[in-house]
Amino acid sequence: MLKRKEIPAFALPTGLNILEQKELTLNNGIPVHFIQGGTQNVAKLDFVFAAGVVQSDKPLVAAITNTLLQEGTTTMSAFEIAEKIDFYGAFLGQSTNYHHAQITLYSLSKYLPNILPIIEDIIKKPALNQHEFDVILAKKKQDFQVDSEKVKTLAHRKSQEVLFGAAHPYGRVAKLHHFDEITLADIRAFHKKQYASNLCTIIVSGQPGDELLSLLNRYLGGKDWSNQTADKHEVALPKASKEHFHHEKKENAVQSAIRIVRPCITKDHPDYLSLFILNTLFGGYFGSRLMNNLREEKGLTYGISSYMVSFLKAGVLGISTEVVADKRALAVEEIFNEMDELKKNHIKEEELTRVKNYLLGDLMRNLDGPFAVSDAFRGLLGFNLDFKYFTQLEQTIKEITPAKIKDLANKYLVRDDFYVVIAGK
């Protein structure tokens, strides 16, 4: 019988239900990470290549190459590809980051025998013709010019340059003149060099059926598309700016964008998980210290957040917001005041428990189902980490103390370690 007058006991969420991962290998050595789960006969396949910004010599090459793959092959036009994908009710997407580029397929499992030949053609035999190249380049140039009018974009670009140096892959920001310097020959050379079987990883999730390995071997398991390119992800040491304040002026801007950033650790560092919790408390969710101060109490901004980015070889800890130009000095000072508060005083158990509850719920949501698990796993590629990372995160969330939070704040929230970047008036 329900006891409606008694308040249920409070308890933090427990027990991650992470789907098991199987390690498979194609005949040509391509590793396949298989995460089986779900009740529907639907599959998601990620084809990941070492073809990101780090591997390209010029800005824009990696992103445009990846985009052009779907714009026609030697046997099909872009229209024919789109028509076939649509006919089978599938979805094809692509993305590029600093170290990897990927093609993602969502499909009903019964149609994989029909769609994988299309994927093979896209990866191995893209047309990469001049007309499609010119169209994509013009569109990206127009998008770039539109984005360049936004102060938040200008602040982000400048912050990357400030932290890593303009010549470093992580700090190498595209400029307008780069659109006139890239050629189709650059794209073809990059595809030939980086889209090879020895630089490919496949992540499969869902219920692809019993013929998965056979199908992948049939279309992608041959040795006809390998090369001698090494799977390298090394980058030079960053050359951070000597100046800690930078102002990108934009006179007609209504607001000023603020980025306060510092070099930070990567996912494989022992402090990373604990610092992730501190970051959430500081500015990583709606109930954070920064939101309560700058939005709720002082009304300086509609939104503010702190964030952690972990590239393979370096990390960033930053704060991002937009404020009215004449309030930016106050906003910057209040951000540093919140850092000082975390360094001086222990947080209350009630606040820490609230953050723990939020993080545990968010962690469970991010690992709910095979597709979500595959996305989470993809974020670990290159770090030599496995699913134990998530159980360690759960344990760290449960065990972290106010004293640990204060120690981390004194180690990582040091004013002199941060760079302030303003874009706007």
Side-chain angles (χ1 to χ4, degrees), residues 50-318:
V53 175
V54 167
Q55 288 83 18
S56 61
D57 296 326
K58 291 183 178 180
L60 305 172
V61 169
I64 291 178
T65 302
N66 191 242
T67 302
L68 272 174
L69 294 181
Q70 291 189 45
E71 300 302 318
T73 71
T74 56
T75 61
M76 292 179 288
S77 68
F79 176 78
E80 288 173 319
I81 292 172
E83 190 175 50
K84 288 183 178 182
I85 294 296
D86 188 55
F87 176 79
Y88 292 114
F91 172 81
L92 202 57
Q94 74 276 326
S95 63
T96 308
N97 57 38
Y98 283 101
H99 287 270
H100 297 97
Q102 71 180 46
I103 301 166
T104 299
L105 169 69
Y106 291 87
S107 172
L108 292 173
S109 303
K110 64 181 179 180
Y111 292 134
L112 285 177
N114 305 96
I115 297 175
L116 282 177
I118 302 172
I119 300 298
E120 178 191 22
D121 238 23
I122 287 172
I123 293 173
K124 295 182 183 180
K125 304 173 185 177
L128 302 179
N129 63 53
Q130 190 68 48
H131 173 71
E132 298 297 341
F133 169 75
D134 291 340
V135 170
I136 294 297
L137 188 64
K139 182 180 184 302
K140 286 190 177 291
K141 185 176 182 179
Q142 184 180 40
D143 292 342
F144 178 87
Q145 290 173 307
V146 171
D147 285 340
S148 296
E149 295 299 312
K150 302 172 184 177
V151 289
K152 66 178 182 181
T153 302
L154 297 178
H156 169 68
R157 292 173 184 169
K158 187 63 178 179
S159 69
Q160 292 297 106
E161 285 187 7
V162 166
L163 280 180
F164 299 105
H168 193 281
Y170 296 162
R172 189 173 64 204
V173 178
K175 308 289 185 183
L176 192 59
H177 65 85
H178 288 136
F179 289 88
D180 300 322
E181 296 169 0
I182 186 175
T183 66
L184 183 59
D186 295 326
I187 302 300
R188 287 174 172 170
F190 187 73
H191 173 266
K192 184 177 181 180
K193 182 181 178 184
Q194 300 300 146
Y195 284 82
S197 61
N198 48 294
L199 301 174
C200 179
T201 298
I202 301 175
I203 305 172
V204 181
S205 54
Q207 296 287 1
D210 296 335
E211 300 299 314
L212 170 67
L213 194 59
S214 175
L215 287 170
L216 289 176
N217 269 319
R218 184 185 309 169
Y219 297 108
L220 297 170
K223 297 182 179 180
D224 57 315
W225 60 298
S226 65
N227 63 27
Q228 300 301 314
T229 304
D231 188 8
K232 290 185 177 179
H233 297 271
E234 297 302 320
V235 295
L237 291 174
K239 294 183 179 179
S241 171
K242 294 180 180 179
E243 301 295 326
H244 280 251
F245 180 82
H246 297 263
H247 187 188
E248 289 282 284
K249 292 185 178 180
K250 189 169 182 59
E251 294 301 331
N252 60 342
V254 177
Q255 290 188 307
S256 289
I258 300 172
R259 289 267 178 158
I260 300 177
V261 294
R262 62 153 292 170
C264 200
I265 56 180
T266 55
K267 285 181 180 178
D268 50 0
H269 191 281
D271 284 345
Y272 187 84
L273 297 180
S274 297
L275 184 59
F276 173 72
I277 299 167
L278 169 60
N279 173 69
T280 304
L281 169 75
F282 178 51
Y285 80 122
F286 195 79
S288 69
R289 292 282 184 97
L290 291 178
M291 283 291 283
N292 284 332
N293 184 336
L294 278 80
R295 174 190 158 111
E296 301 300 328
E297 294 178 10
K298 295 184 174 61
L300 296 175
T301 181
Y302 180 77
I304 182 171
S305 63
S306 64
Y307 58 91
M308 291 175 65
V309 179
S310 176
F311 309 124
L312 285 186
K313 303 300 178 182
V316 178
L317 174 61

Side-chain angles (χ1 to χ4, degrees), residues 12 24 36 47-48 70 111 113 139 207 217 258 264 291 319 328 355 383 416:
L12 291 172
L24 308 173
Q36 188 171 20
F47 305 90
V48 185
Q70 291 189 45
Y111 292 134
K139 182 180 184 302
Q207 296 287 1
N217 269 319
I258 300 172
C264 200
M291 283 291 283
I319 300 97
R328 72 175 186 228
V355 173
F383 288 103
D416 291 343

